[in-house]
Amino acid sequence: MRIAIFDSGIGGLTVLHRAVKSLPEEEYIFYADTEHAPYGIKDKAEIIGYSEAAVDFLIGKGCDIVVIACNTATSVAADILRKKYELPILGIEPAVKPAVEHGRGSRILVIATPLTIREEKLHRLVDQVDEHHLVDLKEMPKLVEFAQAGEFESDAVRRYLHEELDGLHPEGYECVVLGCTHFNHFKEMIREIFGRDCAVIDGSGGTVRNLVATVQKKGFLSAGSLSIEYYESGKLVTDQKKLDFYRMLLERLDKIDA
Ligand code: DGL
């Protein structure tokens, strides 16, 4: 079986990383639309167009299933893509539901891209589960830029996180929901700000459970061994430096999740 994992950039590695743990013997195509990243500050129509182009490409590569490993693209394009294409198209959404369900009644912060924060999909989700009005929403677009530039632990990142978050009084939160897959690369720094008693969660676990269930339901046959091909906006990545960078980030995610 050939599984496509699609994001605007390296955020999707979070989902790839988890998918490989649950389905270790498959062919993966990782598609980062780096030419058009960041998605979260663009308008809806543009993201729908980029997502369609990515899915067309991935179907051309023989993928059996597409996982949109991007909260932004899921919120604006997933329903449209599902109507247009026959293959299973899975998405990711901010883990607001588990945050509220497992909460102890303190505040919950969802951080995501401006487009995800603006979109109706997130507001509908929050309205459904946030009975006691505990959920706050905050856009943090610069984290995507830092991640795409390969900057994860710099002083500039730390300064940005403090500037954006200190004023919200981090001590009052029991959970931070990472509503953008890029933000997982900053999990350690976010944990430092909110303290060890605050949970930091994201939607990739739910997405991968959905992937496993869909694969079983469809009866797709296992490829028998692991392979991962990386594409950037339709071009196969062959540059060793870039491949090493992707590998380094997957190993780093291993440590972050440990
Ligand atoms: N990683 C994406 C998300 O989960 C989008 C980041 C971006 O390109 O703005 O929303």
Side-chain angles (χ1 to χ4, degrees):
M1 166 188 32
R2 188 168 276 191
I3 302 170
I5 311 266
F6 154 58
D7 181 34
S8 63
I10 57 168
L13 292 175
T14 314
V15 176
L16 174 67
H17 174 251
R18 266 189 193 262
V20 169
K21 292 237 163 349
S22 296
L23 298 167
E25 299 196 328
E26 306 303 339
E27 291 176 1
Y28 289 90
I29 296 212
F30 180 78
Y31 187 103
D33 192 10
T34 46
E35 265 176 33
H36 303 117
Y39 275 9
I41 53 169
K42 301 213 163 70
D43 69 40
K44 208 170 152 165
E46 270 180 289
I47 306 311
I48 294 168
Y50 297 147
S51 303
E52 283 177 339
V55 174
D56 282 335
F57 178 85
L58 293 164
I59 291 173
K61 286 277 155 210
C63 293
D64 299 294
I65 185 161
V66 173
V67 181
I68 310 171
C70 174
N71 293 264
T72 310
T74 301
S75 70
V76 299
D79 289 343
I80 294 167
L81 297 172
R82 286 183 190 123
K83 281 188 195 127
K84 184 169 171 187
Y85 301 98
E86 270 173 25
L87 84 173
I89 296 181
L90 312 182
I92 186 164
E93 66 179 12
V96 177
K97 206 164 171 237
V100 173
E101 280 170 2
H102 300 136
R104 304 180 302 265
S106 300
R107 301 210 67 79
I108 293 162
L109 181 66
V110 181
I111 54 175
T113 66
L115 194 49
T116 301
I117 296 287
R118 242 186 2 248
E119 269 305 296
E120 202 195 315
K121 191 163 188 286
L122 179 59
H123 292 272
R124 250 189 283 129
L125 176 65
V126 172
D127 287 348
Q128 263 168 28
V129 298
D130 186 22
E131 242 182 89
H132 303 292
H133 306 291
L134 297 170
V135 176
D136 297 323
L137 306 178
K138 170 138 187 82
E139 52 185 68
M140 296 197 70
K142 265 199 95 139
L143 284 185
V144 178
E145 278 176 47
F146 282 127
Q148 284 305 118
E151 204 177 325
F152 302 108
E153 285 162 9
S154 67
D155 288 345
V157 172
R158 184 166 275 113
R159 213 175 313 120
Y160 175 67
L161 287 171
H162 280 287
E163 272 165 19
E164 294 294 318
L165 299 170
D166 287 357
L168 298 176
H169 302 291
E171 61 288 352
Y173 287 96
E174 64 172 16
C175 182
V176 176
V177 176
L178 306 178
C180 169
T181 50
H182 279 73
F183 295 0
N184 282 71
H185 297 294
F186 305 96
K187 208 167 177 178
E188 276 309 308
M189 280 209 184
I190 292 168
R191 278 187 183 136
E192 269 172 35
I193 291 177
F194 285 86
R196 295 283 145 185
D197 291 338
C198 178
V200 180
I201 64 168
D202 72 289
S204 60
T207 295
V208 170
R209 277 194 295 279
N210 192 10
L211 171 64
V212 172
T214 307
V215 163
Q216 281 166 356
K217 200 170 116 206
K218 294 276 175 191
F220 290 134
L221 290 181
S222 170
S225 66
L226 176 68
S227 69
I228 307 174
E229 273 183 356
Y230 296 88
Y231 286 83
E232 290 184 347
S233 303
K235 290 176 211 78
L236 179 68
V237 177
T238 52
D239 177 41
Q240 196 53 45
K241 261 201 194 140
K242 268 190 191 168
L243 292 169
D244 290 345
F245 178 61
Y246 282 132
R247 254 173 238 135
M248 180 278 284
L249 287 176
L250 288 172
E251 281 168 24
R252 196 168 166 271
L253 285 168
D254 252 341
K255 286 184 204 123
I256 289 174
D257 280 346

